[in-house]
Amino acid sequence: MSDEAGGTFVSVTGLTMGIDGDASVTSEFAIPDGLAVLGAGAEPEALTTSEFALPKGLAPPEPVPVEQEESAFSAPRTYSARHAPVAFTPPSGIPAVRLATDVPWQDRMRTMLRMPVAERPAPEPPPRAEGDTGPAVPRVLDLTLRIGELLLAGGEGAEDVEAAMFAVCRSYGLDRCEPTVTFTQLSVTYQPSLVDDPVSASRIVRRRATDYTRLAAVYRLVDDLSDPENVISLEEAYRRLAEIRRNRHPYPGWALTAASGLLAGAASVLVGGGFIVFFAAALGAMLGDRLAWMCSGRGLPEFYQFLVAAMPPAAIGVALTVAHVDVKASAVITGGLFALLPGRALVAGVQDGLTGFYITASARLLEVMYLFVGIVVGVLLVLYFGVELGAELNPDAALGSADRPLLQLGASMLLSFTFAVLLQQERATVLAVTLNGGVAWAVYGAMHYAGEISPVASTAVAAGVVGLFGQLLSRYRFASALPYTTAAIGPLLPGSATYFGLLGFAQNDVDAGLVSLTKAAALAMAIAIGVNLGSETFRLFLPGAARAGRKAAKRTRGF
């Protein structure tokens, strides 16, 4: 370029040189004299280019290998089972947990389920031949789920199902297992140790059928598996389980229909009916049972089965009233309701709630509500048309009579007997549950009629006696308590209170209807809580219960 004096300059890397060779610094970024210009891409060895650069004299660290993604339960890199650190033992020592062997397996397994996994005593290893590693874990879990499925489908409580599943796993050496029951789903998880991957399996209960004979057979199988003196192979257990599933019901269909009729007739006599009322209630219940079987064969849900089963007894009662037959039509309708009220599901639902299985309890109580609504709709339809036809149904009619205690006692025992047949109980248990039902009604009658005590309190005490004797009989026979308690609570079911509540709604007397239905709900809860309290009272004073260490879990105390 040119300046005013006419001299020419050439700019090279921040230096300006004239033609005469003189140089002058024209930029603060120019390289001073004595420093060489670095070539492109070259870096000085002694020049620190970053504060993170490694100084001279230090070797670079070894490259860290990239860890592969593993399970959360895999052993840490620094863990070695062979060179593990010595475990710390407190000065007072760790108390050894020992379970009494002279108590039933239900209590022993329930005790262990309420313990943390790390505190459970390990089972005695079963005798095995040399080289035998025992049964495969997935097959043991499958057998456990199949046994739990039969128990849950038979109406057993969630805690008892978990205890049975744990007993099966423990009998084959799987002590670190956790069974879980949630209404229609069963699952079990086994983890050999804290550093091994867990194995889980689950099963869905899609069909439920009441068969206490099958339930008792499953209990015998679990009892044999839990006996340390018996060594039952996995193949033998599967064979016995297959036989249990193939067994036919002990009573044919016509016997069940006849039993439902006799149950309704006995219930009508229990609330004050006579000879004609007995046959009318029995006829209505048998017709309703056949209609329910027909709906079941067509695949209709249980809601509609209960709806149509409740209509014939109500229709016969209304027809007798319209025909001006001098009988207690209310007793006919009440007897038909006794054969439909879901007392078994109610007791199981409340028991699950009291033992801490709130999800299962909520689902079972919701099922009870749906079945009860089906009964309500069926009876209300008939009562509404009966009122429109001029049927004079008296909501103030007094049902029940205290002047014939022997007849009522016989009716209560007949009701329990027929209820046991409907539940498909073993013939050997029918007599015991019949006597238990008679005792329940005797206690209720003595307290309510003779002692003039509240019906709710009388029902609760009578149900407690049922639960107490039912638990005693089940421990004597090493079986489930359901066959000895469910049928025995039949005479205590709130059939008359339910009927008068529905009649109040049919006659547009909502207040009276709500009062009667509230009383029915209170009686139903008294039955369920009484049965559970009686069972727990017997377990509390059971010989060996203190040595078994059966602790209750602290679940909802705010901490």
Side-chain angles (χ1 to χ4, degrees):
M1 55 182 298
S2 302
D3 62 356
E4 295 178 358
T8 301
F9 299 90
V10 179
S11 175
V12 179
T13 63
L15 297 178
T16 56
M17 293 185 297
I19 298 299
D20 54 359
D22 295 334
S24 63
V25 178
T26 61
S27 172
E28 61 180 351
F29 296 103
I31 300 175
D33 294 338
L35 294 180
V37 180
L38 298 175
E43 293 185 3
E45 296 180 359
L47 185 62
T48 302
T49 60
S50 171
E51 62 180 351
F52 298 103
L54 186 67
K56 284 185 176 182
L58 294 181
E62 297 180 359
V64 179
V66 180
E67 295 186 0
Q68 298 180 357
E69 185 177 355
E70 298 179 356
S71 171
F73 298 95
S74 60
R77 292 289 179 180
T78 58
Y79 177 81
S80 174
R82 187 181 301 273
H83 304 288
V86 180
F88 172 74
T89 302
S92 59
I94 300 176
V97 180
R98 292 186 177 90
L99 299 179
T101 57
D102 56 345
V103 296
W105 63 266
Q106 296 97 317
D107 286 329
R108 289 188 282 115
M109 297 303 109
R110 192 178 288 109
T111 300
M112 297 196 65
L113 281 175
R114 294 179 178 182
M115 289 182 184
V117 178
E119 298 180 7
R120 294 174 183 171
E124 294 293 334
R128 294 173 182 168
E130 185 177 357
D132 184 10
T133 59
V137 172
R139 293 196 66 198
V140 175
L141 299 186
D142 179 71
L143 175 67
T144 301
L145 291 173
R146 290 179 183 275
I147 289 178
E149 177 189 11
L150 289 180
L151 292 176
L152 188 62
E156 190 61 86
E159 188 177 30
D160 293 324
V161 175
E162 283 194 0
M165 294 171 65
F166 186 76
V168 175
C169 287
R170 189 175 172 82
S171 63
Y172 289 104
L174 309 185
D175 57 319
R176 299 180 63 89
C177 64
E178 288 293 342
T180 305
V181 177
T182 309
F183 191 50
T184 59
Q185 183 176 6
L186 300 167
S187 62
V188 59
T189 301
Y190 171 67
Q191 186 177 4
S193 66
L194 293 176
V195 296
D196 291 323
D197 294 335
V199 181
S200 300
S202 62
R203 193 172 182 88
I204 303 298
V205 180
R206 302 192 181 278
R207 290 192 60 186
R208 287 174 292 165
T210 304
D211 189 344
Y212 283 179
T213 300
R214 179 179 296 174
L215 186 70
V218 176
Y219 257 78
R220 284 193 292 269
L221 174 59
V222 177
D223 185 60
D224 292 340
L225 291 174
S226 304
D227 190 354
E229 298 181 357
N230 293 337
V231 179
I232 300 178
S233 64
L234 201 60
E235 288 72 17
E236 175 66 15
Y238 266 109
R239 185 191 63 80
R240 291 182 56 177
L241 187 63
E243 289 180 355
I244 293 172
R245 299 180 70 94
R246 286 196 301 263
N247 280 345
R248 294 180 176 272
H249 299 307
Y251 307 104
W254 63 266
L256 299 180
T257 301
S260 64
L262 291 176
L263 190 153
S268 65
V269 174
L270 197 64
V271 295
F275 186 76
I276 299 178
V277 170
F278 178 90
F279 280 98
L283 178 61
M286 288 189 290
L287 289 176
D289 182 76
R290 287 293 91 191
L291 287 176
W293 276 103
M294 185 181 66
C295 294
S296 175
R298 299 297 186 274
L300 290 179
E302 281 188 312
F303 176 87
Y304 301 104
Q305 297 176 29
F306 275 76
L307 188 151
V308 298
M311 298 178 72
I316 291 179
V318 170
L320 292 175
T321 303
V322 173
H324 301 289
V325 180
D326 189 15
V327 294
K328 289 185 177 180
S330 300
V332 176
I333 303 175
T334 301
L337 290 177
F338 265 87
L340 297 175
L341 293 178
R344 173 186 57 84
L346 174 67
V347 172
V350 174
Q351 179 181 355
D352 288 341
L354 294 176
T355 52
F357 293 85
Y358 302 115
I359 297 178
T360 305
S362 302
R364 280 181 163 169
L365 292 178
L366 184 63
E367 178 190 28
V368 171
M369 186 192 73
Y370 271 102
L371 299 181
F372 186 77
V373 169
I375 298 172
V376 167
V377 172
V379 175
L380 274 180
L381 287 175
V382 176
L383 291 181
Y384 177 78
F385 285 107
V387 171
E388 294 296 324
L389 292 175
E392 298 179 357
L393 298 172
N394 185 11
D396 298 326
L399 290 181
S401 178
D403 56 355
R404 48 178 191 174
L406 294 180
L407 181 60
Q408 287 183 316
L409 182 62
S412 65
M413 296 178 68
L414 178 60
L415 193 154
S416 299
F417 172 80
T418 53
F419 201 175
V421 173
L422 287 175
L423 293 174
Q424 300 281 2
Q425 290 190 200
E426 293 180 300
R427 292 182 173 87
T429 64
V430 171
L431 178 60
V433 74
T434 300
L435 295 176
N436 202 12
V439 170
W441 181 258
V443 172
Y444 173 80
M447 293 184 64
H448 179 57
Y449 293 120
E452 297 182 354
I453 301 176
S454 167
V456 176
S458 303
T459 300
V461 174
V465 173
V466 169
L468 186 66
F469 281 101
Q471 198 66 229
L472 175 64
L473 292 170
S474 67
R475 296 310 172 89
Y476 174 73
R477 299 179 62 90
F478 295 98
S480 171
L482 287 181
Y484 301 98
T485 57
T486 305
I489 65 172
L492 305 176
L493 292 175
S496 58
T498 303
Y499 161 70
F500 285 125
L502 301 182
L503 182 59
F505 283 108
Q507 294 180 342
N508 292 325
D509 193 352
V510 179
D511 293 338
L514 288 176
V515 169
S516 295
L517 288 182
T518 303
K519 178 182 177 182
L523 291 174
M525 293 298 295
I527 292 173
I529 296 176
V531 170
N532 181 263
L533 182 60
S535 300
E536 293 296 329
T537 302
F538 179 83
R539 288 177 181 152
L540 182 64
F541 297 101
L542 180 70
R547 287 176 286 134
R550 182 176 180 271
K551 298 179 180 179
K554 295 180 180 179
R555 290 188 173 90
T556 53
R557 290 179 179 267
F559 55 85

